[in-house]
């Protein structure tokens, strides 16, 4: 068989003030047929590598096409979206025929001219390939599952875990289902159940951990090929924004519908428990101060992984005001500070104005006197899974008792080596504060006695009822109304 693979990934925060353009997609990549070699440290390269290996194992021809991703920001510029989309489609057209086309997409990409980029790409791919080829799609759970995606694709599999540690595994599942379908050994039919909810669903704690197990249990039933939960991306305003369950059965529409509905109801019935209720900064610092062990605090609202600027320093300011010592804080996106410190040199002590630069969500900047302890050019950190994530030129600053990481490529803080890679010893630290909503848990849990998600000020507010949706079709969703499905 002939297998095609491509990827175009970004998660669009439609409320973010800055656009996503060519520079955003150039922080790593784009990769034109070389994601599995030049981009093997990137998640696109890891996944393309998984598919390439499986195709080689099975003796199939594998065409590795265009892969690119950008850090979440505002809508992608239409000309950039179209240019990348056409690169993928041109190669699909030129190198036909294909039995299977595999796409690694996010599912929440919005351009300045299109609310559903993934549905658009897949619809155009279908028009090129015709009805015979199988189209398989791997999506991030923070996606807007749309009718256009379901219409165009044969198989859609979502990453199940948040943190998204299972993307290689889900990529393998997608490949296997698509190859069996192409060989006529199964006939995937999909059903989408709308939970009519907007929410935030980490899977490392209950009740989501149990709900993920229940989805996996449903997948072991005869005739069920795949069950996914589309968490939705609350900060992307599109007609289809919201939480949905997708089930795929083998030729049995009613089975797909009954499984999607069953899992959808199981999630819906726990909706009150699933609502995030995080302590504010003062309460979190108080709790951390009284804890005898190592506490990791998450600056949840200023997570660049959701399109936030990562330069709101409210939590750092509060830590300094509280006299917190033996602490680390990272990573702040402030290229100006990095440049100033690189110029001053390691060992310099100088006044700096840190953060608060990008817009109202950044809050006020922080004026400090800091000592430059280290500078690393092209710093990276461990990502989720085997990939690494660029942080650009970065500095370690000592401000009172706190070791602070400032970076020049915007990303969330995934891993302790964001700190240790600059020389910061985390072993004696009592408090480590990170800019991440939940992904940090995968790599920080092993060194933490307690993880506290903090309701900080910033772009990613968790009061979902108050988000100013203009395009979202269903305005009567939970938690804006208590029981939109009328289940009591
Ligand atoms: Zn995600």
């Amino acid at each position: 068989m002939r297998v095609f693979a491509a990827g175009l990934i970004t998660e669009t925060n439609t409320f973010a003030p800055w656009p996503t353009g060519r520079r955003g997609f150039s922080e790593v990549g784009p990769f034109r047929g070389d994601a599995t070699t030049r981009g093997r440290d990137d998640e696109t390269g890891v996944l393309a590598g998984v598919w390439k290996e499986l195709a080689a194992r099975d003796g199939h021809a594998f065409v590795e096409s265009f892969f690119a991703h950008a850090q979440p920001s505002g809508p992608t510029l239409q000309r950039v979206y179209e240019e990348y989309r056409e690169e993928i489609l041109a190669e699909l057209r030129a190198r036909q025929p294909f039995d299977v086309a595999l796409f690694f997409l996010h599912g929440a990409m919005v351009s300045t001219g299109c609310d559903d980029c993934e549905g658009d790409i897949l619809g155009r791919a279908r028009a090129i390939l015709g009805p015979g080829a199988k189209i398989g799609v791997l999506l991030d759970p923070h996606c807007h599952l749309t009718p256009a995606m379901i219409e165009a694709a044969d198989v859609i599999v979502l990453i199940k875990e948040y943190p998204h540690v299972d993307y290689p595994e889900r990529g393998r599942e997608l490949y296997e289902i698509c190859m069996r379908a192409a060989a006529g050994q199964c006939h995937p039919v999909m059903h989408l159940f709308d939970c009519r909810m907007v929410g935030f669903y980490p899977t490392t704690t209950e009740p989501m951990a149990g709900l993920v197990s229940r989805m996996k249990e449903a997948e072991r039933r005869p005739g069920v090929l795949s069950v996914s939960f589309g968490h939705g991306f609350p900060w992307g305003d599109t007609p289809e924004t919201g939480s949905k369950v997708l089930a795929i059965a083998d030729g049995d529409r009613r089975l797909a519908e009954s499984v999607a509905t069953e899992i959808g109801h199981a999630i819906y019935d726990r909706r009150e428990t699933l609502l995030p209720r995080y302590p504010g900064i003062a309460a979190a610092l108080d709790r951390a101060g009284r804890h005898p062990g190592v506490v990791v605090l998450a600056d949840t609202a200023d997570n660049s992984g959701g399109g936030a600027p990562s330069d709101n320093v409210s939590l750092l300011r509060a830590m300094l005001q509280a006299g917190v010592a033996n602490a680390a804080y990272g990573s702040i996106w402030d290229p100006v500070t990095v440049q100033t410190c690189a110029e001053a040199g390691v060992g310099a002590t100088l006044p700096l104005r840190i953060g608060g630069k990008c817009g109202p969500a950044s809050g006020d900047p922080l004026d400090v006197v800091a000592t430059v302890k280290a500078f690393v050019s092209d710093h990276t950190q461990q990502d989720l899974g085997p990939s690494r994530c660029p942080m650009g030129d970065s500095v370690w600053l000592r401000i009172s008792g706190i070791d602070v990481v400032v970076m020049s490529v915007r990303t969330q803080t995934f891993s302790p080596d964001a700190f240790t890679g600059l020389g910061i010893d985390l072993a004696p630290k009592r408090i480590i504060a990170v800019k991440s909503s939940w992904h940090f848990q995968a790599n920080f849990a092993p060194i933490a006695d307690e993880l506290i998600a903090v309701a900080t000020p910033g772009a990613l507010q968790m009061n979902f009822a108050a988000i100013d949706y203009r395009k979202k079709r269903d305005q009567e969703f939970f938690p804006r109304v208590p029981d939109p499905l009328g289940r009591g």
Side-chain angles (χ1 to χ4, degrees):
M1 289 199 222
R2 286 178 55 76
V3 181
F4 175 90
L8 182 58
I9 297 167
T10 192
E11 176 185 72
T12 303
N13 185 324
T14 58
F15 303 98
W18 53 75
T20 302
R22 208 168 276 111
R23 293 174 69 101
F25 283 99
S26 301
E27 284 175 357
V28 286
F31 303 110
R32 294 177 167 89
D34 58 357
T36 53
T37 50
R38 192 166 61 88
R40 65 182 177 278
D41 287 341
D42 186 59
E43 62 180 0
T44 58
V46 169
L47 196 76
V50 165
W51 289 340
K52 188 179 184 177
E53 261 178 44
L54 290 168
R57 177 199 70 183
D58 296 341
H60 301 311
F62 184 77
V63 172
E64 181 184 336
S65 182
F66 181 92
F67 281 85
H69 88 252
Q71 194 63 232
S73 284
T76 297
L77 299 170
Q78 187 65 14
R79 63 174 185 277
V80 176
Y81 164 58
E82 288 181 5
E83 178 189 317
Y84 293 163
R85 180 192 72 196
E86 289 312 310
E87 271 200 58
I88 292 171
L89 297 176
E91 190 156 24
L92 190 64
R93 204 177 287 118
R95 300 183 70 178
Q96 290 195 83
F98 290 104
D99 302 279
V100 171
L102 299 171
F103 292 92
F104 185 17
L105 305 173
H106 187 285
M109 179 178 183
V110 174
S111 70
T112 49
C114 180
D115 289 329
D116 177 12
C117 293
E118 288 85 355
D120 181 47
I121 292 169
L122 295 172
R124 289 166 190 271
R126 174 61 75 197
I128 292 167
L129 290 165
K134 301 302 171 193
I135 296 182
V137 189
L138 182 70
L139 294 180
D140 188 286
H142 298 113
C143 60
H144 317 295
L145 281 168
T146 70
M149 296 178 201
I150 305 287
E151 171 73 27
D154 295 284
V155 183
I156 300 177
V157 170
L158 273 60
I159 292 162
K160 276 194 176 60
E161 301 290 350
Y162 180 31
H164 305 336
V165 290
D166 59 328
Y167 69 95
E169 195 182 339
R170 301 284 92 78
R172 276 190 280 277
E173 282 173 9
L174 175 74
Y175 171 91
E176 301 291 356
I177 298 170
C178 288
M179 298 316 291
R180 285 176 53 213
Q185 293 162 354
C186 69
H187 301 89
V189 287
M190 297 192 276
H191 185 85
L192 192 59
F193 177 84
D194 188 347
C195 298
R196 302 196 63 186
M197 296 161 65
V198 170
F200 182 78
Y201 312 96
T203 59
T204 45
T205 52
E206 295 299 346
M208 267 319 294
L211 289 162
V212 169
S213 301
R214 189 156 166 188
M215 287 158 61
K216 290 181 175 173
E217 177 273 317
E219 287 176 334
R220 290 193 288 272
R221 296 179 202 166
V224 179
L225 296 174
S226 175
V227 183
S228 294
F229 178 42
H231 300 193
F233 183 58
W235 305 281
D237 182 14
T238 76
E240 298 297 329
T241 300
S243 309
K244 296 163 194 177
V245 174
L246 177 67
I248 313 178
D250 186 1
D252 187 342
R253 267 179 210 289
R254 291 182 64 180
L255 178 60
E257 182 177 354
S258 77
V259 169
T261 306
E262 173 200 323
I263 301 295
H265 283 163
I267 293 167
Y268 181 85
D269 292 345
R270 287 160 182 79
R271 64 194 179 280
E272 284 289 349
T273 320
L274 285 164
L275 271 186
R277 291 182 176 85
Y278 300 149
I281 290 176
L285 287 180
D286 182 54
R287 206 163 115 195
R290 285 185 284 108
H291 198 289
V294 177
V295 177
V296 175
L297 299 175
D299 190 345
T300 58
D302 193 32
N303 168 20
S304 65
S310 272
D311 76 336
N312 187 307
V313 286
S314 301
L315 177 56
L316 176 59
R317 178 183 291 109
M319 288 166 69
L320 290 166
Q321 283 169 352
V324 169
N326 259 350
Y329 182 95
S331 304
I332 301 166
W333 182 51
D334 190 339
V336 175
T337 292
V338 173
Q339 193 177 323
T340 305
C341 294
E343 196 75 307
V346 172
T349 296
L350 71 169
L352 292 169
R353 171 163 285 197
I354 299 175
K357 291 183 172 67
C358 294
S362 299
D364 292 328
L366 183 63
D367 287 302
V368 294
V369 173
T371 300
V372 182
K373 300 288 288 180
F375 170 84
V376 168
S377 58
D378 294 326
H379 186 30
T380 66
Q381 61 176 333
Q382 187 66 45
D383 206 333
L384 300 167
S387 50
R388 291 194 70 78
C389 163
M391 300 173 72
D393 294 349
S394 301
V395 289
W396 161 17
L397 299 179
R398 169 74 53 78
I399 306 172
S400 299
I402 305 178
D403 288 320
V404 177
V405 175
V406 186
M407 62 191 167
S408 51
V409 169
R410 195 173 62 94
T411 182
Q412 71 181 294
T413 306
F414 284 108
S415 162
D417 64 357
F419 297 92
T420 57
L422 281 159
I424 298 172
D425 182 9
L426 290 180
K429 301 299 183 209
R430 296 284 313 285
I431 296 179
I432 303 165
V434 297
K435 286 195 176 291
S436 174
S437 299
W438 209 264
H439 279 320
F440 75 96
Q441 300 229 354
N443 296 326
F444 279 94
I447 63 163
D449 296 301
E450 190 175 4
L451 305 165
I452 304 176
V454 188
T456 50
L460 304 180
Q461 289 304 312
M462 300 275 184
N463 181 4
F464 307 119
I467 295 179
D468 184 22
Y469 292 119
R470 303 295 172 93
K471 291 187 172 176
K472 180 168 161 41
R473 191 172 35 78
D474 179 13
Q475 295 280 339
E476 302 278 293
F477 59 90
F478 179 82
R480 196 175 279 175
V481 298
D483 185 14
L485 292 182
R487 284 177 57 79

